[in-house]
Structure formats: C-alpha cells, structure tokens
Amino acid sequence: MSEAQAIQDAALQYQCPPQGLLDRIILVTGAGDGIGRAVSLALADHGATVILLGRTQNKLEAVYDEIKKRGGPEPALAPVNLEVATPADYAELAGLFEGEFDRLDGLLHNASMLGEITPLDHYPTGTWNSVMQVNVNAQLQLTQALLPLLRQSEDASLLFTSSGVGRQARAFWGAYAVSKFANEGMMQIFAQELDKTSSIRVNSINPGATRTRMRAAAYPGEDPQSLPAPADLVAPYLYLLGPASQGVNGQALDAQRK
Ligand code: NDP
C-alpha cells in the first residue's frame, strides 16, 4: 500500500477520542450551514474552541447556541462576507483573534460558492469574479493574515476544501471547477513553502457528494435522502485538523470512500 493510501485509510477510519481536540483553537469558514456547520459541531464536541466564520449572522448564532447546548467550549463568532472582505479586514480580524487567543491551531477553508453550471463559452464575468473572490482570493488573503497566528502553534493544520471537479475537470462546472483546481494548487504550494520552516501542515479534502444546500442547487433532480448527511463525514476532518495527522503534508484526501 502506498503512503498516500495509508494516510487516506487512516483518515477514513479515524475515531477521535472524546477530548481529542481539547484546547485546540480552530477557525472554520462557512460554519453556519452544511459541512462547515457539522464539522464545527464535531470539533467542539471533541474539545476544540471553534471560531465560526460566515456571512449570515443568525446561522452562526444558531451554531454557537448548539455548541453551548451540547456543553462545548465557548465558540467565537466572525461574521464576514468573503465576497467583499479586503486584506485590511482580514488584518483587523487577525488582530482581534490575537487579542483573544495567543495562537491558531487550525484553519479550515470550507466556504465556497457554486456560481453557474454553464459552458465556459458563455460564463458570465460577474459570477466568474465572485466565485474566484470567495473560493480563491479570499482563501489566500485570509491565510496570509492568519499565518502569524498559525505559526504560534506547535502543531497547526491548514486545510483546503476540494471537489471531484477540482481534481478531474467536468464540462459546464465553470468557475467552481477552476477555483477548486486553484485550491489544490494553493494547497500544494503552501505545503512546500511551509514544510520544514514551520509546524504547519497543509492538505486538502474532497467531501464527496453530501446532502447540503449547495449539492441540491447543483443537482436539483436528485433525492437528497440518497446522500450522506454532513455529520456522517466528519471523521476525516477531525483527523486532518487534530493531532492524529501530525506530519501529514501536501496530501489531497477524500472524506468518503470512492
Ligand atoms: P453549503 O452551501 O451548505 O455551505 C456553504 C457555506 O459557505 C455556507 O455556510 C455559506 O454561508 C458559506 N458561504 C458562501 N459564500 C460565502 C461568503 N461570501 N462569505 C462567507 N461565507 C460564505 O455548502 P456545502 O456544505 O455543501 O459545501 C462546503 C464545502 O464543501 C464547499 O467548499 C463545497 O465546494 C465543498 N463540496 C461540497 C460537496 C457537496 O456535495 N455538498 C461536494 C464537494 C465539495 P451562508 O449559509 O450564509 O450562505
């Protein structure tokens, strides 16, 4: 078995101990809904303090309330619209986190937008720019702002969210597919640049078909009940964001068995 396959198996089979993420401080983007919400709840269930970043305040507050109800560590809220936020906004945010926490142990880039399913030939420029801003530019700029805090951790994890169409392109998936290829490229470059010069590991995860709003928008004719729920695929996220994956760097993993 190859090393990559062994890591993939370890991620899929991972059973996080009850307090396996105790005292970790992890920021999740798109934490108010879908996979980001489920991963945020699971991180808190295992002891992590989660910084919930998203654009819809009431969704973030609902996740906050749910974490508190389940007895998790008090989360922090970061209402940010990644489509319009600037590097100055991210610097301000990093300053706020620095005042509250002395480090960051994990950053999950999960938020993204689908844009339109349409031929590249006709792809609307405005939608293209929005998708690239949320799915690519914002991820770079947020990472740049938070790297000093990630560097303060003895064991930090930077995790990008990919997609099947970000590894093998598919007709009509337009800006979304191109943005996911860009995420894989950004992951590989950060993984090489941070290797041996920091304790930050960098990987990507493809959730696979999952019952969320985004999936329903992409496949309106599909029965959502035929898909796993976000809560069913949190194990590989806990593996990649927690101590179990120390030393795993530059890997492109799947959250579901193919
Ligand atoms: P959802 O649409 O359910 O959730 C996306 C989250 O991103 C929402 O919380 C949304 O906020 C947030 N978001 C979107 N735009 C912005 C923005 N401009 N600023 C801040 N937050 C924003 O999608 P999924 O849970 O399905 O997707 C999560 C990740 O998984 C994405 O990266 C997606 O590409 C990837 N993925 C999903 C698959 C699937 O089958 N579901 C398959 C492959 C990859 P709000 O709720 O406020 O709109």
Side-chain angles (χ1 to χ4, degrees):
M1 186 190 290
S2 69
E3 192 195 351
Q5 191 55 52
I7 293 168
Q8 175 66 73
D9 282 357
L12 287 172
Q13 289 160 16
Y14 185 58
Q15 293 185 340
C16 190
Q19 291 295 302
L21 291 153
L22 191 63
D23 294 335
R24 286 198 174 234
I25 303 159
I26 299 175
L27 188 147
V28 177
T29 72
D33 209 342
I35 295 164
R37 175 181 183 278
V39 172
S40 297
L41 294 175
L43 290 168
D45 283 346
H46 291 84
T49 297
V50 188
I51 302 172
L52 306 165
L53 187 149
R55 70 178 158 186
T56 310
Q57 173 102 17
N58 63 352
K59 288 189 180 181
L60 298 178
E61 284 169 1
V63 180
Y64 176 100
D65 290 345
E66 180 65 20
I67 289 174
K68 293 289 285 175
K69 198 172 104 192
R70 291 153 77 139
E74 172 141 27
L77 296 190
V80 176
N81 182 346
L82 298 168
E83 193 173 343
V84 296
T86 64
D89 295 324
Y90 297 128
E92 193 184 331
L93 205 59
L96 290 174
F97 298 153
E98 201 172 3
E100 200 167 339
F101 311 105
D102 55 353
R103 61 176 203 287
L104 195 61
D105 303 304
L107 169 55
L108 168 60
H109 288 295
N110 163 80
S112 81
M113 59 181 282
L114 180 62
E116 290 189 28
I117 308 285
T118 196
L120 278 182
D121 198 6
H122 308 297
Y123 207 93
T125 303
T127 309
W128 180 276
N129 290 341
S130 297
V131 172
M132 289 302 162
Q133 187 59 31
V134 173
N135 297 9
V136 182
N137 302 347
Q139 301 202 6
L140 174 66
Q141 291 161 9
L142 183 61
T143 306
Q144 288 173 328
L146 295 179
L147 270 175
L149 276 170
L150 287 162
R151 284 198 168 94
Q152 294 302 314
S153 168
E154 286 174 5
D155 174 30
S157 172
L158 172 57
L159 185 55
F160 290 89
T161 304
S162 190
S163 164
V165 298
R167 293 177 180 167
Q168 176 65 56
R170 202 178 306 154
F172 314 125
W173 279 72
Y176 178 81
V178 173
S179 75
K180 293 296 183 178
F181 269 91
N183 289 161
E184 294 283 7
M186 212 186 309
M187 178 279 279
Q188 291 179 16
I189 293 172
F190 269 129
Q192 289 176 29
E193 291 179 356
L194 296 172
D195 189 29
K196 301 194 172 62
T197 62
S198 78
S199 53
I200 307 170
R201 62 193 122 86
V202 191
N203 298 284
S204 72
I205 187 163
N206 167 22
T210 312
R211 194 192 312 156
T212 67
R213 236 169 14 107
M214 184 187 287
R215 176 76 188 185
Y219 294 88
E222 185 177 62
D223 174 10
Q225 295 309 316
S226 67
L227 301 172
D232 297 335
L233 39 112
V234 295
Y237 284 87
L238 299 180
Y239 172 81
L240 283 165
L241 290 165
S245 60
Q246 214 167 12
V248 173
N249 192 37
Q251 300 292 320
L253 299 180
D254 292 300
Q256 298 185 49
R257 220 169 268 288
K258 282 188 182 162

